[in-house]
Amino acid sequence: MHPNPWASFDPRETRNILVYITGIMFYKLGIESFNGAIVSLAADRFEAAHTFGKIGALNGLNQAMQVVGSILAGPLVKGFPARSVMATAILIFGLVTILFMVIDAGTGGKPKIANGNQVKYGTWNPNGLFPLYMIAGISLGMVELIRRIIPCDIVGGDVQKLRKMDAIVHIMYEVAGTGGAILSAKMIEVFGNNFSFLITPPLFLFAGLTWMFIDTLGHSEEQQRGHQTPEGAIGRSFWTSIRNIDYLESVLKGAKAFARSTYKGAIICFSHRRFIWLLPGYSFALYGHRYLEGTIAPAIAKRIMLDSSYSQIMVSGSNLGELVGAFFVLVSSTAIETPFPFLRFDALALLIVWALPVYSHSIQPHKRVYAWRIAAMFIPISMGWAAGDVSLSAFIQSSLAQIHDDDSHVSPLGSVMSFLYSSYIIVYAVLGTVLGTYIDNIFIKDGNIYRALVNVGGVHFTVLCVIIIAATLTPLGARHLNPKMAKVNAEAGEAAGIGVQEDKSEEEVPNRSYLNHPIHQY
């Protein structure tokens, strides 16, 4: 790799990458402020008997709606510049976030800073968070899909350029995520969690306007085939498509394709020893990471520290760990060829969660320092997950690219990733709600959640640790401390009898169709 990662890009590509990174950092700051405030708001507004059961369901429904958003966005990126669709989607997302504050203010709510440093909520039913957060999930899904496509539009089909761009973007994305979580905690402290995300709409506006300055370079697959809509005709073509029901037909086809690809992905994963470990290795690991941030951190903040905003301080440590993990993979990619060492480290790092029920007994309410100490515990946990996730994504792409497949509609890569992410959503929706309800029941009985932390923290994550480590020992050739990619592929492919073709990953970019599935890598 060239010591200067920017040396591979020409001046125009460099400009577009910088513009894209600027927009993505605005976006990440905004989304961290929004999500942190919503979880904190839900923790404060939902009744104590059902708080974390409902938060689990809230997060699960939001993630399910992201799938819907990605399906809705799929047909649009085939007819319009991806940067224009993404900018429009983020602006719509910004309008959705304003709805929360408008409803709260319209029913008597006030910012903390304007009410004697006391939070005053509106009289609206907190269950209204469900439809609003689901709508936000649709917008988020549209943005998340399109930002998987933008890199191909900027640097074209050069795999080396794409890898370097992805690495740079990933690192800056996590820098913004760490800062955004800290900013969210401060905004909640000043404005209250009902108005703290007032910075989200302008940040989304800045992101959308920034992305509009990305040049349309003509690198994408649709543009090369001459299917790109001229920007001057975007409005006319859009309404023409709506009148002709082309868009609705495309959405229905997208939904059917997603269902078909998910089914096909399940068949691939469960039919071969070579791939069956991907379900625990990817979906369960992602679930554990999200559960740590989305339920355990808010539960400690609300029930032990007595300040729900402190959960964002803990999440900042998690985001910093993701940054460190992604950077470690970048610098060690030649020495560690497979994701197995990273996944095993990730699994062992989950055992750190055992420290939380022990340490929580010494926590004093309303003391921010304890949140920072827990944030430090989250760094190695999320470092392991991010390292495993980044390396596993590359491993999946490389392994599935070698499978012969005659289906021109659904690629093996897209199918497997659809199945893995759908599995994660189902696991989170079910376990998030069940375990959240368990936390609520223990709080009602004991008046605290210390006993719940032992089970949903220590025992729960120990089970995940055992399952993930066992999964990494499943493929043939993977039982070494640092397995080699060629040996794993050769032994597993020969034993499974899978047709293998020459790996062209260095010369070709995989078909862009796999990006039409909701893969949340970062």
Side-chain angles (χ1 to χ4, degrees):
M1 180 180 292
H2 195 283
N4 178 14
W6 295 99
S8 301
F9 307 111
D10 63 40
R12 194 179 186 190
E13 290 171 341
T14 300
R15 172 196 173 277
N16 281 291
I17 292 172
L18 291 174
V19 170
Y20 175 67
I21 289 176
T22 302
I24 212 71
M25 294 185 75
F26 280 132
Y27 163 72
K28 184 60 173 176
L29 286 169
I31 197 64
E32 283 290 342
S33 297
F34 175 71
N35 285 338
I38 293 301
V39 172
S40 174
L41 180 63
D44 287 345
R45 291 298 312 274
F46 287 144
E47 62 274 22
H50 305 289
T51 300
F52 291 98
K54 287 187 174 181
I55 287 178
L58 186 69
N59 287 329
L61 288 171
N62 176 266
Q63 289 158 3
M65 289 301 103
Q66 290 178 34
V67 176
V68 176
S70 69
I71 293 173
L72 293 175
L76 295 177
V77 298
K78 296 179 180 179
F80 310 105
R83 59 93 189 269
S84 300
V85 180
M86 184 164 66
T88 303
I90 196 66
L91 293 177
I92 294 174
F93 194 178
L95 294 176
V96 172
T97 63
I98 293 175
L99 279 177
F100 288 85
M101 293 179 286
V102 170
I103 292 173
D104 195 75
T107 55
K110 292 182 180 179
K112 190 175 180 180
I113 196 173
N115 192 49
N117 206 35
Q118 297 293 321
V119 177
K120 182 179 181 181
Y121 298 114
T123 57
W124 55 280
N125 190 327
N127 289 323
L129 285 171
F130 284 97
L132 290 174
Y133 206 41
M134 288 169 68
I135 295 172
I138 293 174
S139 301
L140 177 59
M142 297 178 73
V143 175
E144 288 293 323
L145 165 73
I146 301 166
R147 75 181 186 89
R148 304 286 182 255
I149 298 173
I150 285 288
C152 288
D153 290 343
I154 292 178
V155 299
D158 189 312
V159 173
Q160 293 300 322
K161 287 185 178 182
L162 280 171
R163 287 177 178 170
K164 291 177 182 179
M165 178 180 173
D166 285 343
I168 295 170
V169 171
H170 195 165
I171 290 172
M172 299 309 297
Y173 186 81
E174 296 303 343
V175 168
T178 303
I182 297 173
L183 176 63
S184 175
K186 185 63 178 178
M187 291 293 292
I188 294 174
E189 178 185 350
V190 175
F191 294 96
N193 48 30
N194 53 340
F195 284 93
S196 63
F197 50 95
L198 57 86
I199 62 170
T200 296
L203 284 171
F204 283 177
L205 175 62
F206 291 147
L209 293 177
T210 301
W211 285 330
M212 289 301 295
F213 286 94
I214 298 175
D215 291 336
T216 304
L217 300 179
H219 283 313
S220 73
E221 181 179 321
E222 285 79 11
Q223 289 170 319
Q224 291 170 355
R225 291 199 304 258
H227 291 174
Q228 183 65 44
T229 301
E231 291 198 52
I234 286 178
R236 182 183 70 251
S237 298
F238 178 79
W239 291 113
T240 299
S241 295
I242 293 296
R243 283 196 298 268
N244 293 336
I245 324 181
D246 293 339
Y247 175 71
L248 297 180
E249 290 179 354
S250 297
V251 169
L252 290 175
K253 289 180 181 177
K256 291 179 181 178
F258 179 76
R260 178 181 176 183
S261 66
T262 302
Y263 172 76
K264 180 178 177 180
I267 296 299
I268 293 175
C269 286
F270 289 124
S271 297
H272 305 290
R273 179 176 177 177
R274 187 184 186 187
F275 300 121
I276 195 171
W277 66 277
L278 293 177
L279 178 61
Y282 180 90
S283 302
F284 290 7
L286 177 58
Y287 157 74
H289 175 71
R290 298 301 184 207
Y291 189 83
L292 183 70
E293 294 183 345
T295 300
I296 290 183
I300 293 174
K302 176 64 178 177
R303 298 300 185 216
I304 298 178
M305 298 179 178
L306 305 184
D307 190 328
S308 59
S309 69
Y310 288 175
S311 66
Q312 284 303 99
I313 294 177
M314 301 179 222
V315 170
S316 71
S318 179
N319 288 339
L320 180 59
E322 291 182 43
L323 169 62
V324 175
F327 182 78
F328 184 74
V329 172
L330 182 64
V331 300
S332 64
S333 58
T334 56
I336 304 177
E337 298 179 7
T338 68
F340 300 112
F342 295 118
L343 288 172
R344 289 163 190 162
F345 175 79
D346 174 26
L348 293 174
L350 293 178
L351 299 178
I352 297 175
V353 178
W354 273 108
L356 294 179
V358 177
Y359 182 71
S360 62
H361 285 278
S362 64
I363 293 176
Q364 298 180 23
H366 303 291
K367 298 291 185 179
R368 188 177 284 104
V369 64
Y370 295 100
W372 284 111
R373 290 172 182 171
I374 294 178
M377 296 181 195
F378 281 10
I379 292 176
I381 300 175
S382 292
M383 172 188 169
W385 172 79
D389 182 68
V390 173
S391 59
L392 182 57
S393 296
F395 179 84
I396 292 173
Q397 180 171 323
S398 173
S399 298
L400 291 171
Q402 301 174 31
I403 297 180
H404 289 301
D405 187 76
D406 298 326
D407 191 337
S408 60
H409 300 286
V410 180
S411 69
L413 177 59
S415 298
V416 169
M417 294 308 296
S418 294
F419 167 68
L420 294 177
Y421 193 72
S422 298
S423 300
Y424 152 70
I425 290 176
I426 294 172
V427 170
Y428 192 100
V430 174
L431 291 184
T433 303
V434 171
L435 295 179
T437 301
Y438 171 74
I439 294 173
D440 294 329
N441 292 338
I442 294 298
F443 179 73
I444 296 299
K445 292 179 182 178
D446 299 354
N448 58 65
I449 62 168
Y450 298 132
R451 187 156 56 98
L453 283 179
V454 172
N455 291 320
V456 302
V459 175
H460 178 205
F461 278 73
T462 299
V463 172
L464 287 176
C465 168
V466 172
I467 292 174
I468 293 171
I469 288 182
T472 65
L473 301 175
T474 302
L476 292 175
R479 297 187 179 183
H480 302 284
L481 184 63
N482 182 19
K484 298 302 180 183
M485 177 74 79
K487 185 174 182 179
V488 171
N489 281 339
E491 292 189 17
E494 182 179 352
I498 299 176
V500 176
Q501 62 187 12
E502 182 181 357
D503 185 4
K504 300 180 181 180
S505 60
E506 294 299 320
E507 292 82 21
E508 298 178 1
V509 177
N511 189 294
R512 215 174 122 177
S513 64
Y514 83 90
L515 293 167
N516 289 338
H517 301 285
I519 306 170
H520 299 262
Q521 180 179 353
Y522 303 144

